[in-house]
Each structure stands twice: as structure tokens, then as C-alpha cells.
Amino acid sequence: MLRASVIVFPGSNCDRDVKTAIERVTGFAPKMVWHGDASVPSSDVIVLPGGFSYGDYLRCGAMAAHSPIMKDVVAKAKAGTPVIGICNGFQILCESGLLPGALLRNASLHFICRDVFLKVENDQTFFTKCYRKGEVIKVPIAHGEGNYFADSETLDRLEGDGRVAFRYSDASGTVSPETCPNGAQRNIAGIVNETGRVLGMMPHPERLYETALGGTDGRRVFESILLSTLEAAA
């Protein structure tokens, strides 16, 4: 059994997408939790979906990070409940302090919506164990502020601790400035916290989880969640 909770903010537009992906891949329907609620139900995983919470006013994710529900999300994450933030959810995780760094305006200053290649850098986290380290996958992005930024000390720590989960690459796995769609430092597309149980990623795995959608490379994020949950319960 998988008890997932998807947090719904005003302006979320991928909450139903990720709900459907979780249900289709794992067989278990998640609870939809309104941002104004005081607490999250007991969950095996909490999802902060993509979209434009609060219309992206101030900074992307800045207002959502102060929604009533986030106090409990932060508390549960610090107590060990896995949390994944996708796109706007990644921005919220950074704004709430659960992950370091910030997501800035794309270097091109344009909104980008297309498939990109990702190199899997860590296959040992709660969310990536169904992938293989070094594997190249294709997942769509859709963002205007996906340019990951952190100071050099933080970036070195993320690299040294193996906390970079995904990196923008080409189809062969080559990582270079030319393969980065948004200017993110060190081509970072996703990072985890110290425990590997909080993941923020800009690409949308929920948009490529079955062949009818054009590909299945995002499916294993949700398979990893289910496998990790079952292993923890065993």
C-alpha cells in the first residue's frame, strides 16, 4: 500500500497530472490536500506539484512556502517523511529551506517547454532506485525559472555528498553548457537533501509515465517511491 498526499496550491496546474500518474503507476490513489489545511494526513510520501502557485508573485514558490500546510510539510520532512517537489514544487522546497539554493529566471529569459535529456547521477535515493547511475532518460520541462543557483561552497557540498540526482545532458550523456536548457549551474536538474528523502527536480516525470504520452522515462520515479515504501515496511 502507498499513502501519498499531493498538496494543492492556488495556481497549481499539475496536481491532477501527478495524482493520475501515481494512481496509474502504483495502483494507489493519493489524497489531495488543500494548501490552507493545517496538517498533512499520515503519508508515505508528500508531493509538491508543478504549476504557478500564487501566480508566481514575489518569487516562484515564495508565497506557497508560507502557506499554512507548509509548516507541517517541513516538520514531517525533517522527521523523515519523503517529499518530492516537481518544478514549482522544487522552487517551494528551496524557498522553505528544505533544499539549498534557488531557481532563477532562465538564462534565455524565455519560458521553455520541451523534452530534455537527463543523466541519472544518483540511483540510491528514495526516488531514483529504479534507475541506473549514468543512465540517460528523456523527461519534459516547462518553466520560466529553472536556472538552479547556489554558491560555490554549496555546489561543491552537493557534488561531494552525491546529492545531485539529475543533470541536463545530451542523448549520449555528455554534460556541457550547450546541453543545459536554462543556464542551471553545473547543469543541475534535480537535487536531494542529506538523507535522500527530499527531492526537488525541475523536469516533469508525471508527463511521461506511459507510452500513450510519448514515453515512459518518468515512470520509474513513481516506481521507485512504491519500491522504497514497500522496502521500508518490510
Side-chain angles (χ1 to χ4, degrees):
M1 181 176 180
L2 178 71
R3 300 170 301 163
S5 292
V6 178
I7 310 302
V8 182
F9 299 93
S12 294
N13 67 356
C14 299
D15 48 320
R16 278 355 188 230
D17 293 351
V18 77
K19 173 187 182 294
T20 301
I22 292 171
E23 190 168 5
R24 294 279 181 85
V25 174
T26 72
F28 299 100
K31 295 183 184 300
M32 308 301 282
V33 182
W34 184 236
H35 76 112
D37 292 351
S39 63
V40 183
S42 181
S43 305
D44 298 309
V45 64
I46 298 171
V47 183
L48 304 182
F52 306 91
S53 58
Y54 291 88
D56 280 349
Y57 292 117
L58 298 183
R59 294 183 308 277
C60 297
M63 294 179 71
H66 294 281
S67 285
I69 197 67
M70 284 305 298
K71 184 175 182 180
D72 194 47
V73 171
V74 170
K76 282 184 165 61
K78 290 181 176 179
T81 299
V83 179
I84 177 172
I86 300 169
C87 197
N88 185 231
F90 186 7
Q91 296 161 345
I92 295 169
L93 289 174
C94 290
E95 290 287 345
S96 65
L98 286 173
L99 289 175
L103 283 307
L104 307 181
R105 183 82 169 157
N106 293 343
S108 66
L109 303 182
H110 293 293
F111 186 91
I112 305 171
C113 182
R114 63 179 175 87
D115 290 345
V116 297
F117 292 106
L118 303 177
K119 185 176 183 179
V120 179
E121 296 285 8
N122 187 335
D123 60 1
Q124 299 299 309
T125 79
F126 189 91
F127 305 94
T128 61
K129 60 178 55 178
C130 289
Y131 292 105
R132 301 184 309 276
K133 181 177 172 61
E135 178 181 7
V136 177
I137 61 175
K138 183 178 72 172
V139 184
I141 58 171
H143 58 249
E145 290 84 12
N147 182 352
Y148 183 75
F149 177 86
D151 60 72
S152 296
E153 181 181 351
T154 298
L155 291 169
D156 289 343
R157 186 169 65 251
L158 291 173
E159 300 275 13
D161 293 344
R163 290 170 54 191
V164 177
F166 301 104
R167 213 183 298 269
Y168 299 109
S169 72
D170 64 14
S172 67
T174 299
V175 175
S176 69
E178 291 71 32
T179 66
C180 186
N182 50 34
Q185 291 185 301
R186 306 191 190 184
N187 285 50
I188 289 174
I191 60 172
V192 293
N193 71 342
E194 297 88 343
T195 67
R197 294 171 71 84
V198 176
L199 168 68
M201 60 184 299
M202 287 309 297
H204 287 269
E206 78 280 9
R207 295 187 181 181
L208 274 187
Y209 69 88
E210 62 180 26
T211 53
L213 298 174
T216 61
D217 282 352
R219 183 181 187 90
R220 281 177 284 163
V221 168
F222 306 105
E223 291 176 340
S224 296
I225 290 171
L226 180 61
L227 177 61
S228 298
T229 300
L230 294 175
E231 288 179 344

